Amino acid sequence: MPHKYKLIELLADGRFHSGEQMARVLGVTRAAVWKSLRKLESLDVELHAVSGKGYRLATPLELLNADLIKQQLLPAVAAMIPGIEVHMELPSTNGYLMAKAWAGRHGQVCLAEHQTAGRGRRGRVWHSPFGGNIYLSFLWQVADTSAHPGGASLAVAIGVARALERLGLSDIGLKWPNDIQYRGQKLAGILLEMTAESGSGCTVVAGIGLNVRLLPAHRQDIQQAVTDLQTITGAMPARNSLVATILNETFQVMRQFQNGGLSSLREEWQSRDVYRGRTVVLVTPNRWIEGTAQGIDDQGQLLLQQADGVISRFSGGELSLRAVTP
Ligand code: BTN
C-alpha cells in the first residue's frame, strides 16, 4: 500500500501523530513522511499541523472495513456474499469486478475509498474523492434473461432507497431509470454494466455511488443539483453501518428481482417515482421526446404518453429525463 494511505490509516483516529512516530511506523525517514503528507493534499484530505504535537486530520475518518461490514450483515444476506473487498484506491469498482477473474462470483462485493476513473451513466465521469462517499459494486448473475437485466438497476435503486429510509430519511425519490433523489437533488446514482452472457442468463455488475460528504470544490464539478447525507442529516453517518444497511436491503431486493422479476417490485418503484404524471422531456442520443411520464412497465421501461395520447416504452441506459414543468 502506498505510504500516503498507510499515513491515512494512522491518522484516521483524528489524534495528533508526531513526524517521528509516523516515520517509525512506516519504516521511512521523516523527510519521506513529509513528502507523503504533501500527497494527502492531492486527495483533498485536510491536515492540521501543530509544532510540538505533529499532524492530525481536520476531521477524523471512519475508514471502510470489510470485517465491520460483515458483522452487520443479516445472516441471509451474508450467505449470498462470497467476499467483500475494500480498496483504498481503484480506477473504478465496477471496472474491477468486470475483469474476467471475477466471472461467476455471484454476490462478490467491492468498495473503494477513492476512484481515479469513476464511471457514471452515459459515459460521464463519477467524481470520486477520497474518504467520504460510498463507491460500491457487486456482481450478480441474472439467471433468466426473460427478466430484462436492465431492470436490475431499478431493483438496486429500490434497495438503496429502502436503506436510506431505514436510516430515518424521508422524502427519498426515484428518477427513472435509477437516480436516487432527496427533495429533487441527486443523492445517489447507479451504473449497471453487463459482463457476459452465460447460457440463458447474463452477469451484471451493479455500481452504487452515494454522496455522503461532498466538499464544496467537488460540488462545483457536478453539473446538476446534488446533495449528500451529511447535509441532510447534519452529521457524518457511520460509513460501515451504512454500507451494511445498503447491502442488506439491496441483496434482499435482488433476491426478490431474481424470483419475481421487476413486476414484483413495480408498484414499490412507482410509489417513489418523482416524475410520474409530470410533463417531461426524454433525451436520447438522436432526439428529444416530450410527454407525460406514466411510470414503468414490468421490465422497467419508461412509459411516456405523447401529445397524441399514445403511450410508448423506452429502455436502455442512453436515455435521460428532464422535467420541464412542475
Ligand atoms: C450515475 O451516473 O448516476 C451512476 C453513477 C455510478 C457510480 C458508481 S460509484 C461505484 C461504481 N463504480 C463506478 O465506476 N461507477 C459506479
Side-chain angles (χ1 to χ4, degrees):
M1 190 194 300
H3 286 153
K4 64 180 177 187
Y5 290 126
K6 285 192 183 155
L7 280 178
I8 285 185
E9 280 186 342
L10 197 64
L11 291 163
D13 59 9
R15 300 208 179 114
F16 278 107
H17 295 268
S18 69
E20 198 184 327
Q21 183 209 3
M22 290 188 278
R24 200 173 345 105
V25 174
L26 264 62
V28 296
T29 62
R30 286 178 66 169
V33 166
W34 190 79
K35 247 184 170 172
S36 298
L37 285 171
R38 293 296 306 272
K39 286 194 187 147
L40 296 188
E41 281 168 23
S42 66
L43 290 176
D44 289 314
V45 173
E46 206 189 327
L47 280 176
H48 287 167
V50 174
S51 66
K53 283 186 163 177
Y55 296 84
R56 72 168 183 196
L57 294 187
T59 37
L61 193 60
E62 183 194 343
L63 290 170
L64 296 173
N65 177 303
D67 291 331
L68 283 179
I69 296 168
K70 280 182 204 155
Q71 282 164 21
Q72 299 173 72
L73 293 178
L74 299 170
V77 171
M80 286 190 260
I81 298 180
I84 298 179
E85 280 194 7
V86 174
H87 296 259
M88 281 290 198
E89 178 185 307
L90 281 178
S92 152
T93 54
N94 262 32
Y96 183 78
L97 287 186
M98 293 280 286
K100 268 210 176 81
W102 294 106
R105 207 156 149 95
H106 181 75
Q108 177 69 31
V109 173
C110 171
L111 292 133
E113 292 284 6
H114 170 44
Q115 295 186 122
T116 53
R119 321 209 263 239
R121 287 187 58 239
R122 308 182 76 213
R124 285 185 293 248
V125 169
W126 187 258
H127 294 283
S128 309
F130 178 85
N133 303 316
I134 303 294
Y135 316 116
L136 182 164
S137 299
F138 65 87
L139 195 141
W140 193 269
Q141 281 182 283
V142 180
D144 171 11
T145 39
S146 66
H148 195 276
S153 71
L154 281 77
V156 175
I158 293 176
V160 176
R162 281 190 197 173
L164 294 169
E165 286 160 6
R166 189 167 280 282
L167 294 166
L169 270 76
S170 47
D171 290 341
I172 295 295
L174 298 177
K175 178 189 145 193
W176 187 88
N178 47 28
D179 275 7
I180 290 111
Q181 295 190 341
Y182 174 78
R183 297 186 182 166
Q185 296 169 309
K186 183 157 174 172
L187 179 57
I190 289 151
L191 177 68
L192 196 84
E193 297 187 80
M194 218 93 65
T195 67
E197 299 283 331
S198 57
S200 64
C202 71
T203 306
V204 298
V205 170
I208 301 168
L210 169 65
N211 301 331
V212 180
R213 188 191 59 192
L214 291 172
L215 300 175
H218 298 134
R219 281 175 194 263
Q220 281 168 16
D221 293 340
I222 306 170
Q223 311 294 326
Q224 57 181 312
V226 288
T227 190
D228 59 33
L229 285 180
Q230 192 177 32
T231 307
I232 297 169
T233 65
M236 186 67 184
R239 293 165 74 231
N240 287 296
S241 309
L242 176 61
V243 169
T245 307
I246 291 171
L247 291 175
N248 281 336
E249 296 300 332
T250 304
F251 273 67
Q252 289 183 93
V253 175
M254 289 305 286
R255 197 174 40 193
Q256 194 177 332
F257 174 75
Q258 190 95 309
N259 295 333
L262 197 71
S263 55
S264 69
L265 293 157
R266 183 178 168 196
E267 262 186 37
E268 183 177 349
W269 193 92
Q270 292 191 147
S271 69
R272 299 190 180 92
D273 181 359
V274 288
Y275 282 118
R276 194 153 184 213
R278 291 169 76 181
T279 306
V280 294
V281 173
L282 183 67
V283 183
T284 75
N286 40 28
R287 60 185 182 134
W288 287 44
I289 309 137
E290 193 174 319
T292 308
Q294 300 288 6
I296 53 170
D297 69 5
D298 279 349
Q299 306 288 314
Q301 299 183 95
L302 175 75
L303 299 174
L304 194 61
Q305 184 169 36
Q306 289 168 257
D308 57 5
V310 175
I311 297 180
S312 313
R313 292 153 203 266
F314 296 90
S315 66
E318 316 311 317
L319 307 169
S320 80
L321 193 63
R322 304 227 187 281
V324 289
T325 52

